Amino acid sequence: MRYSFLNDYSEGAHPSILNALVESNMIQQTPYGDDVFSVDAKQRIRKHLGASFSGSVHFVASGTLANLVSISSVLKPYEAVITVQSGHIVSHEAGAIEATGHKLITVPGVEGKLTPVNLKEAIAKNSFFPHMAKPGLIYISNVTEMGTVYTHAELSALSAIAKEHGLLLFMDGARMGMALASNKNDMTLADIAELCDVFWIGGTKVGALLGEAIVVSNPDLVEGFDICIKQKGGLLAKGRLLGVQFQTLFNDELLYVDIARHANAMAAQLAQGIKAAGYDLQDEPDANQVFAILPNTLIETLKQSFEFFVWQPVDDKKSLVRLVTSWATEESQVIRFVEQLSS
Amino acid sequence: MRYSFLNDYSEGAHPSILNALVESNMIQQTPYGDDVFSVDAKQRIRKHLGASFSGSVHFVASGTLANLVSISSVLKPYEAVITVQSGHIVSHEAGAIEATGHKLITVPGVEGKLTPVNLKEAIAKNSFFPHMAKPGLIYISNVTEMGTVYTHAELSALSAIAKEHGLLLFMDGARMGMALASNKNDMTLADIAELCDVFWIGGTKVGALLGEAIVVSNPDLVEGFDICIKQKGGLLAKGRLLGVQFQTLFNDELLYVDIARHANAMAAQLAQGIKAAGYDLQDEPDANQVFAILPNTLIETLKQSFEFFVWQPVDDKKSLVRLVTSWATEESQVIRFVEQLSS
Amino acid sequence: MRYSFLNDYSEGAHPSILNALVESNMIQQTPYGDDVFSVDAKQRIRKHLGASFSGSVHFVASGTLANLVSISSVLKPYEAVITVQSGHIVSHEAGAIEATGHKLITVPGVEGKLTPVNLKEAIAKNSFFPHMAKPGLIYISNVTEMGTVYTHAELSALSAIAKEHGLLLFMDGARMGMALASNKNDMTLADIAELCDVFWIGGTKVGALLGEAIVVSNPDLVEGFDICIKQKGGLLAKGRLLGVQFQTLFNDELLYVDIARHANAMAAQLAQGIKAAGYDLQDEPDANQVFAILPNTLIETLKQSFEFFVWQPVDDKKSLVRLVTSWATEESQVIRFVEQLSS
Amino acid sequence: MRYSFLNDYSEGAHPSILNALVESNMIQQTPYGDDVFSVDAKQRIRKHLGASFSGSVHFVASGTLANLVSISSVLKPYEAVITVQSGHIVSHEAGAIEATGHKLITVPGVEGKLTPVNLKEAIAKNSFFPHMAKPGLIYISNVTEMGTVYTHAELSALSAIAKEHGLLLFMDGARMGMALASNKNDMTLADIAELCDVFWIGGTKVGALLGEAIVVSNPDLVEGFDICIKQKGGLLAKGRLLGVQFQTLFNDELLYVDIARHANAMAAQLAQGIKAAGYDLQDEPDANQVFAILPNTLIETLKQSFEFFVWQPVDDKKSLVRLVTSWATEESQVIRFVEQLSS
């Protein structure tokens, strides 16, 4: 059995979550998210969103649902989405956004991030109306697809441009935990709620069985958001399943960030070991993804004991590989991986 | 604490399912439904679909997703859906089908069922092309919204009309378990697979935390179905969550039907008690929903100890109420409810 | 050659329109509706919309485009349309509205009209959120599909209910000319602009080759409307074609209403002749559609000289027929038709 | 009054078309494209489509409608469109294709054309299913947005790749006339019908008031195409307006190509004059668009007498300009333009 560094969703749920599900199982509840667990979980999340927060919190079953519901709910039919080319919605969600009727305008990213310069250029280029769809929303993810994390200054710059041009700012937080736990991070959820109109706090990649918490922080966008969720199939009859999980993740000790901290630490340890063994990283990992350049022969050997993604060839003899860690990553396996690098 | 007969999703999951989730939790798996649990669960379901079955089985997170993915995946853009007025997709899914671009053509139902006469009339009336959307699919549910169950003869008649007019036949099986376990039922899943082009086997209302198994029995409709699921946000990263549950429901003892049998038995016991107490049922319950006519004063009294749905007034003094039972319904509560009828 | 009373679009354009097209043909113009003809035509229409009008006027190529662009442009994705069952969008536009993602909620009409009672009932019934699509817009047509015309009092009543419930009021004016020219009418375009959020002034059925003028009278709905038109394919490169036509229809003598007055007069003459010959009308015609009950044997005879629509059987021996008149209807043919009734 | 070389739709219709409209105006006809003119026009077009043609011909009102109806009619919901970045549907149709639910996959063009290498690369890159939308159709235009024309060899190469990968090949023929009349062209409409699954023959830019003829040459795609046209608002009540125009364009002398030949000749004359005056062309013009590099000071002078599009700066002192000619372009104005180059 090979140990997997393929992704951060190879196991089930964090044991605390399973325990909570078992314990709450037989308590009868109102369906569709009106259960006491969901109500409490939302309250716990709201505590992190700042005193002035006047939006809403919603749970949905998957990240693609979180993206497509959020974007289609807040855009007008003639509006388009600006995103970096590497954005998850561009090529990993089967055209989910377009299927709701909205165009994606792609711009080059820098280490997976949208930059103010590229954003402004995209806005300027897409202004020949009524012949062009009107940019209406900026999609970013944090952690990005390249494993990088936005700083407060970076996000503020994008938010300022968004406001200046009447665009909404939306953050895909599939790995929000790892972003918050990152050494690079200097933002709280309250900061993000202030700067973004809508964002989501991913559960699936941070220890939950499934589920993402969408935060609509712009109060003008709250109306009808719940109907959109239902319309797109995102409302679970047993909403308690999502409530119990986020209750657990947002407990007093903030398990959500603890989990992510472990994932990030394991990635740092992998990165450190790779460098110590004399190999190059593409970049220092901001979160729980390590991009390393390894010889193809070594990759072949490693593949006998580990699963990981070979991202792309670097040259004839070397390739870029991606290693992902999670709440469940065993330190012993990290050590074993590093040992095999030098053997 | 009032005991709830409101619906069949007031509790979490059947304990066997929770156990299976706990036991399998730490085993690393391939994501997106390619895990060993999902593969095995699909295999177990296929065993019930007949030797000649050459379609596919897919898991999605919710019933609305099952309906909207199935319908939008198999229809051409100019095609419409024929459904009875009481169909779940008509007024309980927030316009989910129309949101995928397809018109609903509603016809009057008879005890919640679509009849051959009404179906033929709808087909005939909707044939003024190109001015009308073309009927392309017939939507039925089994158990119906009125709690009734289709017989083999009834389904065969609809299927024959569908084939004659080039329409697809689709069955929403949110309560498929209760249909299979019904005294009225004379069909196997293989029969349904033979007669319907697409149908689904509901998990949420039959003991699962969430999840429905869509069966595409018409092999011409298989291509791209999985991409549609992904595009609509229905593909879970931890597909194992659905796989483990359906593995458990479709175990050697066919827990899926056992669960439903208990629900139906509890409904029958409620119905029997109501009649014995001198009150009328709207109909004999085919499955796990009891529609009873009770005096308003009695309803007020019962409401102090039980939750249930007051469906509609019958006259000034009486109302129709709906009582729903499930895998979790305690016989002691049924007995207590019946006792209160006579007290 | 049989003379046709089938509809009001059997001929080309009113001669004045063709003349104007010929005269303006070689003058170079800016495309996409920014030509001097379109600008002037919009100005001429605005003169009829009241001093306080602060909305916009747009031209599109067809009635279905006018309906689908208007409705999809102003609704949020989770919103539905309330319409009478006989509404043109229900069964004569191939599911055009649903294809933009919006549900139609149908209510029984009374002589083709939406009544306050039925409207309120539909609103009340469709209020179980988030499980139901939210009513967002009321669709009516004037003249209705049944040939009737709304009074100021009737429209005011619907508008008041719309405002009370936060719904938009939309009027399909495919035969707006005939409504304005009707003896039943007591409204100006300014009245309609005050009471409706969006409506359109039909050209196709009132002497134009094609084209409808959409009036967005609610200023909150103006933004992006032109992009929606472009996105749905409704913006003609040679927008002048629509501009020249509406310039002509809205000339100083208001040809638009003159044309309709002739159509209505021909219908009245037909109706009068039918009654004089001893046959019944379904109703007195408000505009240019006559619904008459004729013996089937007579219908057979008339069919040899005339084309018209046999709407539905009344009994074994009689049927309801529909006769439509237009700007082009020749009085001599009306006389000939009436003569044949008595021969 | 400045003379316009801005586009090929600055005037109304070719005089022959207006004459035909005037002459046919009062003849009563069946609506919605079943008039004798439309039937005959389709027959005339079919004569050019080859003996083995077994598809269908349809008229719609605009180019955007032709594109969006064709693409949405033939694709499955999970399928995407491959197009060059400069494709008209990418940035000049307000997101019309995405609004029907389909993703655009853009690839770099070479002089506006899709090349086999780039096409294959796009297909290869977009094959990670079910996470990616599946390429289903290749969109090209002929003449391209850059004014170039495809050769038979080039189109055959694309068609072969399309067939190999199960993709449909679709050609936007807004300027099909100019393509057929081009010196570069070595294809007939029958060749195009053989190689493309769907294509359209543009009227708007080739002398019509409006209207495009869509040819569905793949017989598997014919069913329901007319309903899609109606659903998208593309079916004119007075279909005769399109029928009469295409009857005239496809008369015995093939006015359609005559018109385009004049446009191309005027462009060639402009190009020749520009070169003779000592200025550079970006490329030799294949059809009716001339891209020339002119000094900014000269451009300022020319702007006093002519309208044309300044495409983009070349350097501090020079810009690329686009000049478009049409059926209506007066040779005297071409001569005057060329004279001003040297004055």
Side-chain angles (χ1 to χ4, degrees):
Chain A
M1 199 63 164
R2 299 185 295 161
Y3 192 79
S4 173
F5 290 110
L6 269 176
N7 57 52
D8 31 21
Y9 35 91
S10 291
E11 289 85 3
H14 188 279
S16 304
I17 283 176
L18 274 190
N19 285 345
L21 287 172
V22 170
E23 280 171 23
S24 64
N25 191 53
M26 295 308 294
I27 308 171
Q28 288 193 320
Q29 287 295 315
T30 308
Y32 296 113
D34 293 328
D35 55 281
V36 296
F37 313 117
S38 294
V39 170
D40 181 56
K42 288 178 188 177
Q43 194 49 42
R44 290 179 183 210
I45 290 172
R46 291 174 86 106
K47 276 190 197 160
H48 295 272
L49 299 176
S52 64
F53 180 81
S54 60
S56 58
V57 179
H58 309 264
F59 299 127
V60 296
S62 77
T64 299
L65 271 172
N67 284 334
L68 78 86
V69 165
S70 297
I71 293 173
S72 69
S73 175
V74 305
L75 285 187
K76 288 168 185 154
Y78 57 88
E79 291 181 329
V81 175
I82 295 180
T83 169
V84 292
Q85 181 62 44
S86 58
H88 200 259
I89 55 171
V90 177
S91 54
H92 284 78
E93 297 188 358
I97 305 306
E98 290 93 340
T100 68
H102 299 284
K103 185 182 196 67
L104 300 189
I105 297 168
T106 57
V107 302
V110 175
E111 295 181 2
K113 293 183 196 176
L114 183 63
T115 64
V117 169
N118 291 355
L119 172 57
K120 281 185 200 168
E121 190 181 319
I123 295 170
K125 268 190 186 169
N126 286 275
S127 59
F128 179 46
F129 309 124
H131 299 273
M132 290 177 171
K134 191 173 179 184
L137 178 144
I138 301 163
Y139 166 95
I140 57 172
S141 55
N142 192 29
V143 181
T144 71
E145 289 293 302
M146 299 294 103
T148 51
V149 169
Y150 279 93
T151 64
H152 192 278
E154 289 169 341
L155 190 63
S156 299
L158 296 181
S159 175
I161 298 169
K163 280 191 173 47
E164 186 188 338
H165 290 88
L167 304 178
L168 301 171
L169 183 55
F170 171 70
M171 182 186 283
D172 170 338
R175 293 188 176 96
M176 181 67 85
M178 288 74 156
L180 295 174
S182 169
N183 293 331
K184 276 283 180 65
N185 178 61
D186 58 357
M187 286 192 284
T188 62
L189 285 174
D191 294 332
I192 293 170
E194 199 188 317
L195 295 169
C196 294
D197 295 280
V198 187
F199 67 99
W200 53 278
I201 301 169
T204 304
K205 293 175 180 169
V206 195
L209 284 170
L210 85 165
E212 331 295 333
I214 305 173
V215 178
V216 183
S217 40
N218 180 337
D220 295 343
L221 306 176
V222 169
E223 194 186 338
F225 202 93
D226 56 339
I227 308 181
C228 282
I229 290 176
K230 175 64 191 169
Q231 186 186 72
K232 303 304 188 192
L235 187 64
L236 295 184
K238 295 179 180 170
R240 62 195 293 151
L241 170 60
L242 302 176
V244 167
Q245 293 188 91
F246 275 94
Q247 228 184 0
T248 308
L249 290 169
F250 279 77
N251 63 5
D252 292 345
E253 296 75 29
L254 204 47
L255 174 62
Y256 187 70
V257 176
D258 267 356
I259 278 176
R261 208 172 280 130
H262 174 76
N264 289 3
M266 291 298 97
Q269 193 166 332
L270 272 175
Q272 178 58 27
I274 289 165
K275 287 191 295 182
Y279 301 109
D280 287 338
L281 301 177
Q282 192 183 42
D283 290 295
E284 283 300 308
D286 284 359
N288 68 324
Q289 298 177 68
V290 179
F291 288 88
I293 297 163
L294 300 180
N296 293 340
T297 51
L298 176 57
I299 290 171
E300 285 313 300
T301 308
L302 289 167
K303 281 270 178 185
Q304 291 167 25
S305 307
F306 300 96
E307 288 188 276
F308 51 88
F309 200 72
V310 181
W311 201 255
Q312 56 187 42
V314 171
D315 60 27
D316 278 4
K317 304 202 167 157
K318 286 180 292 190
S319 296
L320 184 66
V321 305
R322 190 188 75 163
L323 303 162
V324 186
T325 55
S326 80
W327 63 273
T329 300
E330 299 170 24
E331 189 174 2
S332 61
Q333 294 289 353
V334 169
I335 292 168
R336 188 170 145 248
F337 184 92
V338 171
E339 283 172 355
Q340 293 206 9
L341 289 175
S342 330
S343 63
Chain B
M1 199 63 162
R2 298 184 295 160
Y3 192 78
S4 173
F5 290 110
L6 269 176
N7 57 53
D8 31 21
Y9 36 91
S10 291
E11 289 85 3
H14 188 279
S16 302
I17 283 176
L18 275 190
N19 284 346
L21 287 173
V22 170
E23 279 171 24
S24 64
N25 190 54
M26 295 307 294
I27 307 171
Q28 288 192 321
Q29 286 295 314
T30 308
Y32 296 113
D34 293 330
D35 56 282
V36 296
F37 314 117
S38 294
V39 170
D40 181 57
K42 289 178 187 177
Q43 195 47 43
R44 290 180 183 208
I45 290 172
R46 292 174 85 107
K47 276 191 197 160
H48 295 272
L49 300 176
S52 65
F53 180 81
S54 61
S56 58
V57 178
H58 310 264
F59 299 127
V60 296
S62 77
T64 299
L65 271 171
N67 284 333
L68 79 86
V69 165
S70 297
I71 293 174
S72 69
S73 175
V74 304
L75 285 188
K76 288 169 185 154
Y78 57 88
E79 290 181 330
V81 176
I82 295 179
T83 170
V84 292
Q85 181 62 43
S86 58
H88 201 259
I89 55 172
V90 177
S91 55
H92 283 78
E93 297 188 357
I97 304 306
E98 290 93 340
T100 69
H102 298 284
K103 185 182 198 67
L104 300 189
I105 297 168
T106 57
V107 303
V110 175
E111 295 181 2
K113 293 183 195 175
L114 183 62
T115 64
V117 169
N118 290 355
L119 172 56
K120 281 184 202 169
E121 189 180 320
I123 296 170
K125 268 190 185 168
N126 286 275
S127 58
F128 180 47
F129 309 124
H131 298 273
M132 289 177 171
K134 191 174 179 184
L137 178 144
I138 300 163
Y139 167 94
I140 57 172
S141 55
N142 193 28
V143 182
T144 70
E145 289 292 304
M146 300 292 103
T148 51
V149 168
Y150 279 93
T151 64
H152 192 278
E154 288 169 341
L155 191 63
S156 298
L158 297 180
S159 176
I161 298 170
K163 280 192 173 45
E164 185 188 338
H165 291 87
L167 305 177
L168 300 171
L169 183 56
F170 172 69
M171 183 185 283
D172 169 339
R175 294 188 176 96
M176 181 67 86
M178 288 73 158
L180 295 174
S182 169
N183 292 330
K184 277 282 181 66
N185 178 61
D186 58 357
M187 287 193 282
T188 62
L189 285 173
D191 293 331
I192 293 171
E194 200 189 316
L195 294 170
C196 294
D197 295 279
V198 186
F199 67 99
W200 54 278
I201 301 169
T204 303
K205 293 174 180 170
V206 194
L209 284 170
L210 85 166
E212 331 294 334
I214 304 174
V215 177
V216 182
S217 40
N218 180 335
D220 295 343
L221 305 176
V222 168
E223 194 187 340
F225 202 93
D226 57 338
I227 309 180
C228 282
I229 290 176
K230 175 64 190 170
Q231 187 187 71
K232 303 303 187 193
L235 188 65
L236 296 184
K238 295 179 180 170
R240 62 194 293 151
L241 170 59
L242 302 176
V244 167
Q245 293 189 90
F246 275 94
Q247 231 184 355
T248 308
L249 289 170
F250 279 76
N251 62 6
D252 292 346
E253 296 75 29
L254 203 45
L255 175 62
Y256 186 69
V257 177
D258 266 357
I259 278 176
R261 209 170 279 131
H262 174 77
N264 289 2
M266 291 299 98
Q269 193 165 332
L270 272 175
Q272 178 59 28
I274 288 165
K275 287 191 295 182
Y279 301 110
D280 287 338
L281 302 177
Q282 193 182 43
D283 290 294
E284 283 300 307
D286 285 0
N288 67 324
Q289 297 178 66
V290 179
F291 288 88
I293 298 163
L294 300 180
N296 293 341
T297 51
L298 176 57
I299 290 171
E300 284 314 299
T301 308
L302 290 166
K303 280 271 177 185
Q304 291 168 24
S305 307
F306 300 97
E307 288 189 277
F308 52 88
F309 200 72
V310 181
W311 201 254
Q312 57 187 41
V314 171
D315 59 29
D316 277 6
K317 302 200 168 159
K318 287 180 289 190
S319 295
L320 184 67
V321 304
R322 189 187 75 164
L323 303 162
V324 186
T325 56
S326 80
W327 62 274
T329 300
E330 299 169 24
E331 189 175 1
S332 60
Q333 295 289 352
V334 170
I335 292 169
R336 187 170 146 248
F337 184 91
V338 171
E339 284 172 355
Q340 295 205 9
L341 290 173
S342 330
S343 61
Chain C
M1 198 66 163
R2 298 184 294 160
Y3 191 80
S4 173
F5 290 110
L6 268 177
N7 57 53
D8 31 20
Y9 36 90
S10 291
E11 288 86 2
H14 188 279
S16 303
I17 283 176
L18 274 190
N19 285 346
L21 287 172
V22 170
E23 279 171 23
S24 65
N25 191 54
M26 295 307 295
I27 307 171
Q28 289 191 320
Q29 286 295 315
T30 309
Y32 297 112
D34 294 329
D35 56 281
V36 297
F37 313 118
S38 294
V39 170
D40 181 56
K42 289 178 188 177
Q43 195 48 43
R44 290 181 184 207
I45 289 172
R46 293 174 84 107
K47 276 189 196 161
H48 295 272
L49 300 177
S52 65
F53 180 80
S54 60
S56 59
V57 179
H58 309 264
F59 299 127
V60 297
S62 76
T64 299
L65 271 172
N67 284 333
L68 78 86
V69 165
S70 297
I71 292 173
S72 69
S73 175
V74 305
L75 285 188
K76 288 169 185 153
Y78 57 87
E79 290 181 330
V81 175
I82 295 179
T83 170
V84 293
Q85 180 62 43
S86 57
H88 201 259
I89 55 172
V90 177
S91 54
H92 283 77
E93 298 188 358
I97 304 307
E98 290 94 340
T100 69
H102 298 285
K103 186 184 197 65
L104 300 189
I105 297 168
T106 57
V107 302
V110 176
E111 294 181 3
K113 293 184 196 175
L114 183 63
T115 64
V117 169
N118 291 355
L119 172 57
K120 282 184 200 167
E121 189 181 321
I123 296 170
K125 268 190 188 170
N126 287 275
S127 59
F128 180 46
F129 308 124
H131 298 272
M132 290 178 171
K134 191 173 179 185
L137 178 145
I138 300 162
Y139 167 94
I140 57 172
S141 56
N142 193 28
V143 181
T144 70
E145 289 293 304
M146 299 294 103
T148 51
V149 169
Y150 279 93
T151 64
H152 193 278
E154 289 169 340
L155 190 63
S156 298
L158 296 180
S159 176
I161 298 170
K163 280 192 173 47
E164 186 189 338
H165 291 87
L167 305 177
L168 300 171
L169 183 55
F170 172 69
M171 183 186 283
D172 169 338
R175 293 187 176 96
M176 182 67 86
M178 289 71 156
L180 295 173
S182 168
N183 292 331
K184 276 283 180 65
N185 178 62
D186 58 356
M187 286 193 283
T188 62
L189 284 174
D191 293 331
I192 292 170
E194 200 189 316
L195 295 169
C196 294
D197 295 280
V198 186
F199 68 98
W200 53 279
I201 301 169
T204 305
K205 294 175 179 170
V206 195
L209 284 170
L210 85 166
E212 331 294 335
I214 303 175
V215 178
V216 182
S217 39
N218 180 336
D220 295 343
L221 306 176
V222 168
E223 194 186 339
F225 202 93
D226 57 339
I227 308 181
C228 282
I229 290 176
K230 175 63 190 168
Q231 186 186 71
K232 304 302 188 192
L235 187 64
L236 296 184
K238 295 179 181 171
R240 62 194 294 151
L241 170 59
L242 302 176
V244 167
Q245 294 188 92
F246 275 94
Q247 230 184 357
T248 308
L249 289 169
F250 279 77
N251 63 5
D252 292 345
E253 295 76 28
L254 203 46
L255 175 62
Y256 186 69
V257 177
D258 267 357
I259 277 176
R261 207 171 280 131
H262 175 76
N264 288 2
M266 291 298 97
Q269 193 166 332
L270 272 175
Q272 178 58 28
I274 288 165
K275 287 190 296 181
Y279 301 110
D280 287 338
L281 303 177
Q282 191 182 43
D283 290 294
E284 283 299 308
D286 284 1
N288 68 324
Q289 299 178 66
V290 179
F291 289 88
I293 297 162
L294 299 181
N296 293 341
T297 50
L298 176 58
I299 290 172
E300 284 314 299
T301 308
L302 290 166
K303 281 270 177 187
Q304 291 167 26
S305 307
F306 301 97
E307 290 188 275
F308 52 88
F309 200 72
V310 181
W311 202 255
Q312 56 187 41
V314 171
D315 59 29
D316 278 5
K317 304 202 167 157
K318 288 180 289 188
S319 296
L320 184 67
V321 305
R322 189 187 75 164
L323 303 162
V324 187
T325 56
S326 81
W327 63 274
T329 300
E330 297 171 24
E331 189 175 0
S332 61
Q333 296 288 354
V334 170
I335 292 168
R336 187 172 146 246
F337 183 92
V338 171
E339 285 172 356
Q340 293 206 10
L341 290 174
S342 331
S343 62
Chain D
M1 199 66 162
R2 300 184 293 162
Y3 192 80
S4 173
F5 290 110
L6 269 176
N7 57 53
D8 31 21
Y9 37 91
S10 291
E11 288 85 4
H14 189 278
S16 303
I17 283 176
L18 274 190
N19 284 344
L21 287 173
V22 170
E23 280 171 23
S24 64
N25 191 55
M26 295 308 294
I27 308 171
Q28 288 193 321
Q29 287 295 314
T30 307
Y32 296 112
D34 294 328
D35 56 281
V36 296
F37 314 117
S38 294
V39 170
D40 181 56
K42 289 178 187 177
Q43 195 47 42
R44 291 180 183 208
I45 290 172
R46 291 174 86 107
K47 277 190 196 162
H48 294 272
L49 300 176
S52 64
F53 181 81
S54 60
S56 58
V57 179
H58 309 263
F59 299 126
V60 296
S62 77
T64 299
L65 271 172
N67 284 333
L68 77 86
V69 165
S70 297
I71 292 173
S72 69
S73 175
V74 304
L75 285 187
K76 288 168 185 155
Y78 57 88
E79 290 181 331
V81 176
I82 295 179
T83 168
V84 292
Q85 181 62 43
S86 57
H88 201 259
I89 55 171
V90 177
S91 54
H92 284 77
E93 297 188 357
I97 305 306
E98 290 93 341
T100 68
H102 298 284
K103 185 182 198 66
L104 300 188
I105 297 167
T106 58
V107 303
V110 176
E111 295 181 3
K113 292 182 196 175
L114 183 63
T115 64
V117 169
N118 291 355
L119 172 57
K120 282 185 200 168
E121 190 181 319
I123 295 170
K125 268 189 187 171
N126 286 275
S127 59
F128 179 46
F129 308 124
H131 298 274
M132 290 177 171
K134 191 173 181 185
L137 178 145
I138 300 163
Y139 167 94
I140 57 173
S141 56
N142 193 29
V143 180
T144 71
E145 288 293 303
M146 300 293 104
T148 51
V149 168
Y150 280 93
T151 64
H152 192 278
E154 289 169 340
L155 190 63
S156 299
L158 297 180
S159 176
I161 298 170
K163 281 191 172 46
E164 186 189 336
H165 290 87
L167 305 177
L168 300 171
L169 183 55
F170 171 70
M171 182 186 283
D172 169 338
R175 292 187 177 96
M176 182 67 86
M178 290 71 156
L180 294 174
S182 169
N183 292 330
K184 278 282 180 65
N185 178 61
D186 58 357
M187 288 192 283
T188 61
L189 284 174
D191 294 331
I192 293 170
E194 199 189 316
L195 294 170
C196 295
D197 296 279
V198 186
F199 67 98
W200 53 279
I201 302 170
T204 305
K205 294 174 179 171
V206 195
L209 284 170
L210 85 167
E212 332 294 334
I214 304 174
V215 178
V216 183
S217 39
N218 181 336
D220 295 342
L221 305 176
V222 169
E223 194 187 339
F225 202 94
D226 56 339
I227 308 182
C228 282
I229 290 175
K230 175 64 190 170
Q231 187 186 71
K232 303 303 188 193
L235 187 64
L236 296 184
K238 296 180 180 171
R240 63 196 291 151
L241 170 59
L242 303 175
V244 167
Q245 294 188 92
F246 274 94
Q247 229 185 357
T248 308
L249 289 169
F250 279 76
N251 63 4
D252 292 345
E253 296 77 29
L254 203 46
L255 175 62
Y256 187 69
V257 177
D258 266 358
I259 277 176
R261 208 172 280 130
H262 174 77
N264 288 3
M266 290 300 97
Q269 194 166 330
L270 271 175
Q272 177 59 27
I274 289 164
K275 287 191 294 183
Y279 301 109
D280 287 337
L281 302 176
Q282 192 183 41
D283 290 294
E284 283 299 308
D286 285 359
N288 68 324
Q289 297 178 67
V290 179
F291 288 88
I293 298 162
L294 299 181
N296 294 339
T297 51
L298 177 56
I299 290 170
E300 285 312 299
T301 308
L302 290 167
K303 281 271 177 183
Q304 291 167 26
S305 307
F306 301 97
E307 289 188 275
F308 50 89
F309 201 71
V310 182
W311 201 254
Q312 57 187 43
V314 171
D315 59 28
D316 277 5
K317 302 201 168 157
K318 286 180 290 191
S319 296
L320 184 66
V321 304
R322 189 187 76 163
L323 304 162
V324 186
T325 55
S326 80
W327 63 274
T329 301
E330 298 171 24
E331 188 174 3
S332 61
Q333 295 289 352
V334 170
I335 292 169
R336 186 170 146 248
F337 184 91
V338 171
E339 284 172 355
Q340 293 206 9
L341 289 174
S342 330
S343 64

